[in-house]
Amino acid sequence: MRITPSIQSRNFLEDLSRTKARLDKAQDELSSGRRVNVLSDDPYAAGQASEIEAVSSENEEFIANNDQLISKLGFLDSTLQRLVLSLENAQTLAAQALSGTTTAESRAALAEGVTGVRKQVLSLANAQYNGVFLFSGTRRPAADAFIDNAPGFTYGGNDEAIYQKLDRSTTIQTNVTGQDLFGDPPAVLDVLEALETAIDNNDPTAIRAEVANLETLANRVNSLGAIVGARIQLGEQTQSRLRDHNLGLKKETSRLTDANLVESISDFNLADQAVKVSLSSQARIAQLSLLDYLR
Amino acid sequence: MGSLFASLDVGRKSLQAHQLALQVTSNNMSNINTPGYSRQHAVFQTDFSVQTAAGLIGSGVTVKNIESARDRFIELRVVEETHHTSEQEAMFNALDQIQRMLPSGTGGLQDGISRFFNSFSTLANNPESSALRNAVLSAAQNLATSFNGAARQLDEIQSSVNRSIEDAVNKVNILAGIVATLNQEIIVAEGGGTEASGLRDQRQEYIKELSSLVDVHYYEAQDGAFYVSVAGGHSLVSGNTSQPLSAVPVGIQGHFEVWSGANNITNLISGGEVAGFVEIRDQNIPTYLGDLDTLTNTIINQVNTQHGLGTDLLGNAGVDFFNPTPAPALPQVFPAGAARNFSVNAALVADARLVAAGQSGEAGDNANALVLAGLAALKTLNGGTETFAEGFASLQFRVGTDTQVAKRRLDAQSAVLTQLQNQRDSVSGVSLDEEALDLIRFQRAYQAATKFISTVDQLTGDIIAAFGR
C-alpha cells in the first residue's frame, strides 16, 4: 500500500483525536469524581442512579419530617408526665383530707390546693406545640381547646386521630385527642371539681370515690404515655433504618456512577503519555522527506 | 535514413516530453493538499519508427497522454460510507443535545418530581400552615416549569432539525446543479479523447458532499457523465440536467417532507444527514415527547383525582390541582402537549387555602396530604408497572441508550470511512517521495537530452567547419 502524507496526517489526527478523547474522559472523571457524566456514558447506571435519587430524596424528607414528629411526640410525652404528676398531687391532697385530723381551715387549704391542680390540668389540656393545640384532634378552635365553665367545661376540639407516615409503609397516630384524655368519663376536670367539693363538704365517701377516679385517670394517662413512648421508639428506630438505607443508597449510587480515581489517574497518565508520544513521533515523521536529501 | 538534423529532432522531442512530465510532477506537488485531487502521471511512448539501413529505429519519445490514478470502486464505496457516517453523525449530534436536557441531580426533572410529592409529606406535619401550603404550590410550579422547559427544548431541537432538512435539500439541489454542469463540461472536454482529470476530481468531491446529505447512488455513462439518483432510484442528475428535490412544509408544525417530482421520498431516504434528521424528528423526539407527555398526564390525573377527594381549608371539596391537559391540535393524539402545557391551577396559586390537605374539612386534617404524598410510591405508569420516578428513569435510560448506540455506530462508521479514504489516497493521493524521485528522473532525462543536443550541435559544427575550409 502506498503511504501518502494525506494518509499519514489523517491517521495521525484520528489517533490523536481518540487519545485526546480518552484524556478528556479521564480528566472529566478526575475533576467531577464521576464516571457517568452524561446518560450515554452508562445508560443503565444513569437510570438506576436516577431511581435511587428519587428514593433517597423521599427518605431524606421522611427523616426531616420524623425529626419534627419525634420532637412533637416528646413534647406530648412530657405533657402526659406532667399530667400524671398533677394527678398524684391531687391524690396526695385527697389522702390528707381523709386523714381524720383535718380542721375546717385545713380542708379549705386542701380544697384550694385541688383548685390549683385543676388549673394546672386545664393548662396542660390547652398545651400547644408550634402554635397548635396538642389535644384538639383535627379541629383548630379559635379560643382554647378546653374552656372552664366551673362547674363543668367545654371541649372545642374533636375526637379525630392524626396520622403521619414514618416511611413508605409505616403510619402512626401522632396525637392523643382531648376526648380520649380529658373528655371520656371519668373526666379529669370534673373529678377534680368533685374532689374539691367533697373536701369542702368533708365527705369521706365522696372523697374516696374521687380518689378511685383519680387512680383510674392516672392509669389512663400512664397507658397513653406508654403508647406515645412506643411511637417515639418506633420513630427513632425508623430514623435509624432510613439513615442506614440512605447510606446504602449512596454507596450504590457511588458504585454505579462514581469514578474509580486510581483507575482514572492511571488512564489519565496513559493517555497523557500516548498524546505526547504521538505528537513527538508525528513531529519527527512529518519532517522526513526525500526532498531534504536531494541536492 | 537518419541524419544529424533528425537527431536534433529526437533531442527536441525528449526535451518536450520531459518538460511536460516535470510539469505533471510540479502539478502533483502543488495539489498535494487539494481535497479529492487524483495524482497524474505522464505516459511516455516511443515515437514513430523510421527505416534505416540497419532496420527500424524509433524517432524519440512522446507523451501519449496524462493519466489520473483512480479506483472507481473505492470512490463508490467512499460515497456509500459517507452517507451512512453523516446519518449517524446527525443523529448523535441531536441526541447528545437531548441527553443533556435530562440530567439527574438537583434541578433536574427527577428532583422536581421528588420535591413536589415530598412537599405534601411535609405539609402533613402541619396542614394548616400557610408557609407549607405555599411550599407545596411552589414545588408544583417548579415541577410544571421544569416539564415545560424540557418539552420546549425538545420542540426547539425538533424545529431546528426540521429547518436543517430544508437547508440540506436546498444544498442538495445546488450540488446537483453543479454536478450536471460538470457533466456537460466533462463531455465536451473529453470529446477529443483526453481525460478531464481536474473536472472529474471536482465532480467526485461534489458527489461526496452530496452523499453526506442524502443517499446518492451513481453510475457513469459512456460519454463520461454521471447519472445520480437518491432514495432508491429517484433521479437527481441525468447527464447535463438536474431534477431538483423540493422541501414541502406539512401540517401545523410545518414539518418538511422531501419530494422528488410527484413522489414523496421522505421515508425512502436511507442515508446522509437528511435521513438522520428525519429519524430524529419523526421517531426519536416524538417518542421522548410522548413519554414525557404520558408521565405528565398521569401526574396531572392522579393528583387531580386525589385532590378532588380532599377538602381545603375553607371546607370545600378540592378543585383541580393542575390544569387538565387540553385536547391537542390534530393530527396529534391525546395526551400530546401535556408537558408543554403543564401548569398549576391559578386559583390555588392565588389562594393557598385551596390546597386540599384534609378529608374532613377540619384545618388540622392531613389525611389527603398523606395520600397525595403517597402517590409517588404508586405504580401508575406503563400499565401499573412503574412509579413516576421509575417512569422518568426509563426515559433517561432510553435517551442514554439511543445516544450511546448512535455514538458507537458513528465511531464504527467513521473507522470504515477513514479506512476507505486511506485506500483511496493510497491509489490517488500524492506522495512527495515519489514526486521527488520523478523530479530527479525527469531532470536527469532533460539534462541528458540537452547534452545530446549539444553533442549533435558540436558534430554539426565539426562537419560545417571541415567542409568550410
Side-chain angles (χ1 to χ4, degrees):
Chain A
M1 184 174 175
R2 291 174 69 248
I3 301 298
T4 64
S6 60
I7 294 176
Q8 282 180 324
S9 63
R10 182 181 296 115
N11 286 345
F12 165 68
L13 288 174
E14 292 267 335
D15 291 343
L16 187 66
S17 168
R18 266 196 295 273
T19 315
K20 281 199 166 176
R22 274 171 46 208
L23 189 66
D24 186 50
K25 171 92 176 126
Q27 193 179 26
D28 234 22
E29 289 182 3
L30 287 172
S31 57
S32 69
R34 290 167 61 89
R35 182 179 65 87
V36 181
N37 287 300
V38 288
L39 301 177
S40 59
D41 283 341
D42 187 340
Y44 173 76
Q48 289 287 303
S50 182
E51 285 181 29
I52 290 172
E53 177 194 335
V55 176
S56 178
S57 169
E58 191 182 35
N59 283 349
E60 290 292 343
E61 195 68 20
F62 280 129
I63 289 168
N65 288 345
N66 290 348
D67 277 340
Q68 288 185 33
L69 188 61
I70 289 167
S71 171
K72 179 188 168 185
L73 289 172
F75 183 74
L76 176 60
D77 191 42
S78 74
T79 306
L80 293 177
Q81 283 173 20
R82 281 190 286 157
L83 184 58
V84 170
L85 287 176
S86 296
L87 294 174
E88 285 172 359
N89 281 344
Q91 282 174 317
T92 305
L93 293 170
Q96 287 175 12
L98 287 172
S99 67
T101 58
T102 55
T103 62
E105 202 172 79
S106 63
R107 279 198 300 278
L110 289 172
E112 198 177 325
V114 172
T115 305
V117 169
R118 190 170 180 277
K119 282 181 181 167
Q120 281 175 7
V121 169
L122 190 64
S123 168
L124 292 173
N126 284 318
Q128 292 187 5
Y129 180 79
N130 277 350
V132 176
F133 289 114
L134 211 52
F135 302 110
S136 67
T138 58
R139 191 164 294 163
R140 298 288 178 261
D144 284 346
F146 289 87
I147 297 168
D148 188 11
N149 297 327
F153 64 92
T154 308
Y155 176 47
N158 63 18
D159 198 23
E160 294 298 321
I162 298 173
Y163 295 95
Q164 181 59 290
K165 283 189 166 183
L166 295 177
D167 59 22
R168 272 193 178 186
S169 55
T170 314
T171 304
I172 61 164
Q173 186 176 340
T174 66
N175 70 330
V176 171
T177 65
Q179 186 65 36
D180 287 345
L181 190 59
F182 300 104
D184 289 345
V188 62
L189 292 170
D190 291 343
V191 168
L192 291 170
E193 201 173 334
L195 179 62
E196 185 188 338
T197 307
I199 292 172
D200 267 345
N201 295 340
N202 196 18
D203 180 350
T205 309
I207 293 173
R208 282 193 189 90
E210 298 312 326
V211 167
N213 281 337
L214 285 174
E215 190 64 33
T216 304
L217 284 167
N219 286 338
R220 181 195 292 174
V221 176
N222 277 326
S223 66
L224 285 171
I227 291 168
V228 171
R231 287 175 193 162
I232 292 172
Q233 200 177 17
L234 180 61
E236 284 168 347
Q237 285 170 353
T238 308
Q239 287 292 75
S240 171
R241 190 165 44 74
L242 285 170
R243 289 196 171 101
D244 284 349
H245 187 207
N246 260 13
L247 197 62
L249 292 176
K250 273 184 186 156
K251 279 185 185 165
E252 182 60 7
T253 304
S254 173
R255 187 188 68 78
L256 287 165
T257 62
D258 282 1
N260 178 336
L261 291 182
V262 175
E263 203 174 292
S264 300
I265 289 169
S266 169
D267 286 350
F268 182 86
N269 287 335
L270 282 173
D272 185 48
Q273 281 299 318
V275 167
K276 285 174 183 160
V277 168
S278 180
L279 289 172
S280 164
S281 61
Q282 177 63 18
R284 289 185 62 183
I285 290 169
Q287 289 174 8
L288 285 180
S289 171
L290 183 59
L291 289 167
D292 294 333
Y293 297 91
L294 298 175
R295 291 286 181 272
Chain B
M1 182 176 161
S3 69
L4 280 176
F5 289 113
S7 296
L8 272 177
D9 203 39
V10 170
R12 177 188 61 78
K13 285 180 189 172
S14 178
L15 281 179
Q16 284 177 337
H18 288 100
Q19 193 175 356
L20 187 59
L22 281 166
Q23 272 184 342
V24 171
T25 301
S26 80
N27 186 49
N28 282 342
M29 292 168 91
S30 304
N31 283 291
I32 187 166
N33 292 319
T34 305
Y37 177 75
S38 300
R39 71 190 164 93
Q40 296 175 315
H41 62 274
V43 180
F44 294 104
Q45 75 171 13
T46 308
D47 209 354
F48 64 88
S49 300
V50 293
Q51 188 68 48
T52 66
L56 285 170
I57 185 170
S59 62
V61 66
T62 184
V63 174
K64 181 185 165 193
N65 59 8
I66 309 291
E67 276 185 5
S68 290
R70 60 174 85 240
D71 183 323
R72 302 222 165 130
F73 172 70
I74 292 175
E75 285 178 344
L76 193 68
R77 290 283 299 124
V78 168
V79 167
E80 283 173 0
E81 293 306 327
T82 297
H83 62 67
H84 290 314
T85 306
S86 296
E87 179 186 3
Q88 293 306 324
E89 193 170 10
M91 288 189 71
F92 172 71
N93 288 341
L95 287 168
D96 191 38
Q97 288 180 50
I98 294 171
Q99 72 164 340
R100 288 168 200 278
M101 289 164 31
L102 304 170
S104 295
T106 309
L109 290 181
Q110 187 72 280
D111 186 46
I113 296 170
S114 296
R115 282 177 189 273
F116 171 62
F117 287 104
N118 288 345
S119 71
F120 279 114
S121 186
T122 307
L123 177 63
N125 272 341
N126 195 357
E128 64 268 50
S129 162
S130 172
L132 294 184
R133 284 170 173 271
N134 280 312
V136 167
L137 291 169
S138 177
Q141 284 176 304
N142 286 342
L143 176 68
T145 307
S146 300
F147 272 75
N148 298 156
R152 191 188 64 246
Q153 284 174 308
L154 280 172
D155 282 344
E156 283 170 0
I157 292 174
Q158 194 177 35
S159 171
S160 162
V161 163
N162 187 45
R163 283 194 301 277
S164 298
I165 291 172
E166 187 191 24
D167 293 344
V169 168
N170 290 337
K171 207 169 165 189
V172 165
N173 291 337
I174 292 169
L175 292 170
I178 293 173
V179 169
T181 306
L182 285 169
N183 272 345
Q184 177 62 28
E185 289 175 9
I186 288 167
I187 291 168
V188 172
E190 294 186 350
T194 53
E195 188 185 70
S197 181
L199 293 173
R200 282 178 173 269
D201 288 345
Q202 282 182 40
R203 183 177 64 181
Q204 196 63 38
E205 273 303 287
Y206 285 120
I207 291 285
K208 209 172 111 187
E209 205 174 331
L210 260 177
S211 73
S212 72
L213 300 169
V214 284
D215 57 334
V216 295
H217 296 275
Y218 65 94
Y219 70 92
E220 187 175 342
Q222 280 192 334
D223 60 1
F226 271 5
Y227 283 72
V228 185
S229 64
V230 291
H234 293 271
S235 178
L236 186 64
V237 179
S238 303
N240 58 5
T241 58
S242 66
Q243 290 81 41
L245 304 178
S246 50
V248 182
V250 175
I252 51 164
Q253 291 176 303
H255 281 182
F256 286 105
E257 287 184 345
V258 183
W259 287 70
S260 168
N263 300 303
N264 182 350
I265 59 167
T266 313
N267 295 319
L268 299 176
I269 297 171
S270 61
E273 283 180 6
V274 172
F277 290 149
V278 168
E279 188 165 347
I280 287 288
R281 184 194 67 184
D282 296 347
Q283 304 294 328
N284 293 74
I285 291 180
T287 303
Y288 306 150
L289 267 175
D291 286 354
L292 209 55
D293 284 337
T294 302
L295 174 60
T296 310
N297 199 50
T298 311
I299 291 175
I300 291 173
N301 286 342
Q302 293 288 322
V303 171
N304 281 356
T305 302
Q306 188 56 47
H307 197 252
L309 295 174
T311 49
D312 61 24
L313 262 188
L314 305 174
N316 301 318
V319 295
D320 276 346
F321 192 95
F322 294 112
N323 292 314
T325 303
L330 291 172
Q332 293 179 307
V333 291
F334 198 81
R340 203 175 297 126
N341 298 303
F342 196 15
S343 59
V344 182
N345 186 345
L348 271 83
V349 177
D351 186 354
R353 292 176 301 173
L354 298 186
V355 174
Q359 291 180 334
S360 63
E362 297 292 355
D365 183 6
N366 67 357
N368 211 40
L370 284 179
V371 182
L372 283 162
L375 291 178
L378 292 184
K379 292 188 182 294
T380 49
L381 277 167
N382 284 341
T385 58
E386 287 182 335
T387 63
F388 300 129
E390 288 164 353
F392 181 70
S394 292
L395 173 60
Q396 288 180 305
F397 177 75
R398 188 199 289 265
V399 172
T401 306
D402 288 350
T403 312
Q404 192 183 53
V405 168
K407 179 76 171 72
R408 285 179 180 167
R409 283 184 183 161
L410 174 60
D411 288 345
Q413 275 301 133
S414 298
V416 172
L417 183 59
T418 299
Q419 183 56 32
L420 283 167
Q421 284 172 329
N422 284 346
Q423 283 185 15
R424 186 257 168 211
D425 283 355
S426 177
V427 174
S428 306
V430 176
S431 161
L432 279 180
D433 293 336
E434 278 180 9
E435 301 305 326
L437 279 174
D438 283 349
L439 196 65
I440 297 296
R441 279 199 303 140
F442 301 143
Q443 184 189 11
R444 292 295 180 209
Y446 191 90
Q447 285 171 342
T450 312
K451 182 71 180 169
F452 173 72
I453 289 171
S454 169
T455 305
V456 171
D457 179 50
Q458 194 183 341
L459 289 174
T460 313
D462 288 348
I463 288 170
I464 292 170
F467 285 105
R469 281 184 195 153

